[in-house]
Amino acid sequence: MHASVHARRLSATAFACGACLILLPPGPAQAFSGGNHEKITRAALTWEPRSLTAMADSRDGAIVADDQGDYFKLGILHCDNADFLASRFTSASAYPRTRDEANTELLACIRGSVARLRAAVRYADGLVDPQGRVIARQSDLGSPCTWNERAGRAKCNVLEQLGRGWHPIEDFYSHSNWSDQAGAGPIGTDNPPGLNRTGIAPFLDIRRYSSMKDADWAEEAAGLIPEDLATGCYPDFESTGVKTADCTGRVEHNRALNKDTEAARRSGHGNFQRATELAAQDIARQWKDFTAELIATYPDNGRGEQMICALTHDTPALSCPRGRRVLREPTRASGAFTGKKLLTDRSR
């Protein structure tokens, strides 16, 4: 069903679904644990403590901002509803969603991350003056950042854009069959195929796509999506602005695909562990690509390097004097995840 015409609007950048504008009914904030969002993000980044906490904290970090309030209800912020099951796995009627329709939802999810990266690069300009000096008032974390889509301190602005752009990428690995092994028994809507991939998804090349026309990167990405890839159907708003009312007859998020907890049905066969490891590897890739984009975009007076220093250091006005090259490279994830929850548990 369509959301009420009396609903309030979230800002267009909140969901970045091209020209569409989704209307959502007001509702209370939904407070969920982001325990493994935090573990994944900390495994991917080597920042100083307060800066890393601002990004990764399981309750108040930028990485979980998309799980708060009405953002939680937008499927493209969690890579939901890209479900599909090929005809060779169905014994009755055709699956109710085509491969192209599934791709539309996944590409909308990717489009949001592309838009967030572009915005983060723009906001980073406010961290450093034209001479390459860090602007103290724009990089200070003396008071907490607020993730409300309103322009504030440049460091908070950049962290919010990165966190909201990385959240769907982490969710993709939990909510899809990318690295899964299927369970025992016949393949079907209750036991979708597993792709058993061991590397990060090539169609999440966010930095490269950010430099391309949207139509061009979308065509390229669609060509990289495997025929049997699926993310689960979930009763939230799709990129069209339509809210899924019923997932009957489809590959469901809750029952068939989510690995949001180690106890989830799909988390066995090492699926939970592989999803967390690949999510951390991909965030490490995304951060490395973002730093490269800053250096390429702001080469004069070492401004790009200074922006990176300002983002990763807790007192950058002191730690990042002009002319000192301080680059923090992310480490690859160790794979040592022992928490009970992966990402946000979207089961009901």
Side-chain angles (χ1 to χ4, degrees):
M1 65 178 177
H2 285 275
S4 166
V5 294
H6 301 295
R8 68 176 176 83
R9 293 187 177 188
L10 290 180
S11 69
T13 55
F15 48 86
C17 62
C20 74
L21 185 64
I22 296 177
L23 302 178
L24 291 176
Q30 303 180 52
F32 294 92
S33 167
N36 271 279
H37 273 300
E38 178 167 355
K39 291 177 184 178
I40 287 165
T41 307
R42 287 185 180 276
L45 305 174
T46 55
W47 298 2
E48 290 190 343
R50 278 189 293 149
S51 298
L52 184 54
T53 294
M55 171 59 76
D57 186 75
S58 64
R59 293 187 61 85
D60 299 318
I63 197 66
V64 295
D66 278 352
D67 280 335
Q68 308 305 319
D70 286 333
Y71 291 93
F72 182 78
K73 303 172 186 177
L74 296 170
I76 62 172
L77 301 186
H78 313 283
C79 282
D80 292 334
N81 301 311
D83 54 295
F84 177 71
L85 192 65
S87 59
R88 67 185 185 279
F89 299 126
T90 60
S91 57
S93 58
Y95 191 75
R97 168 150 292 191
T98 67
R99 178 71 262 172
D100 284 346
E101 289 171 331
N103 286 358
T104 294
E105 295 307 305
L106 184 56
L107 292 173
C109 180
I110 298 169
R111 186 173 295 111
S113 294
V114 171
R116 294 295 186 180
L117 183 142
R118 289 170 175 162
V121 171
R122 292 193 299 271
Y123 277 125
D125 189 35
L127 288 166
V128 177
D129 72 16
Q131 288 71 46
R133 293 184 294 258
V134 171
I135 303 172
R137 68 181 183 278
Q138 294 294 339
S139 57
D140 174 62
L141 288 180
S143 60
C145 297
T146 302
W147 318 122
N148 59 10
E149 303 276 8
R150 297 172 186 167
R153 285 164 286 166
K155 184 165 182 172
C156 295
N157 296 339
V158 175
L159 294 182
E160 179 168 17
Q161 296 302 316
L162 291 178
R164 291 191 186 277
W166 292 347
H167 181 99
I169 294 171
E170 293 186 4
D171 274 358
F172 167 78
Y173 292 97
S174 173
H175 297 174
S176 77
N177 63 345
W178 176 259
S179 59
D180 288 3
Q181 292 183 23
I187 298 297
T189 55
D190 285 346
N191 184 31
L195 302 187
N196 202 24
R197 300 298 176 95
T198 58
I200 56 180
F203 45 80
L204 296 178
D205 195 354
I206 305 303
R207 183 201 178 195
R208 182 165 180 274
Y209 294 164
S210 72
S211 67
M212 300 169 65
K213 294 181 179 179
D214 284 350
D216 292 340
W217 73 251
E219 181 179 7
E220 177 181 306
L224 296 172
I225 297 172
E227 175 70 11
D228 290 331
L229 180 71
T231 72
C233 174
Y234 192 82
D236 50 19
F237 286 89
E238 298 190 0
S239 65
T240 58
V242 174
K243 187 177 189 297
T244 302
D246 187 1
C247 290
T248 300
R250 294 170 62 179
V251 175
E252 294 188 30
H253 169 89
N254 287 345
R255 188 176 72 242
L257 267 185
N258 98 79
K259 296 164 288 294
D260 291 336
T261 70
E262 284 187 301
R265 178 180 176 184
R266 190 72 170 190
S267 290
H269 305 288
N271 291 340
F272 177 89
Q273 186 76 10
R274 284 191 297 275
T276 54
E277 289 174 352
L278 287 181
Q281 289 175 27
D282 210 336
I283 297 308
R285 182 258 297 258
Q286 300 299 332
W287 168 243
K288 184 176 181 180
D289 285 354
F290 178 67
T291 61
E293 185 64 22
L294 289 182
I295 292 169
T297 303
Y298 302 106
D300 295 343
N301 295 317
R303 294 186 74 227
E305 289 93 340
Q306 289 290 82
M307 292 169 189
I308 297 165
C309 190
L311 291 170
T312 58
H313 286 68
D314 292 342
T315 55
L318 298 175
S319 302
C320 309
R322 182 185 172 194
R324 179 184 176 191
R325 294 173 62 87
V326 185
L327 296 182
R328 290 296 186 101
E329 290 294 331
T331 58
R332 286 294 180 184
S334 66
F337 293 94
T338 58
K340 296 298 182 183
K341 293 176 73 67
L342 168 62
L343 316 182
T344 293
D345 181 3
R346 288 169 64 80
S347 58
R348 301 286 185 172

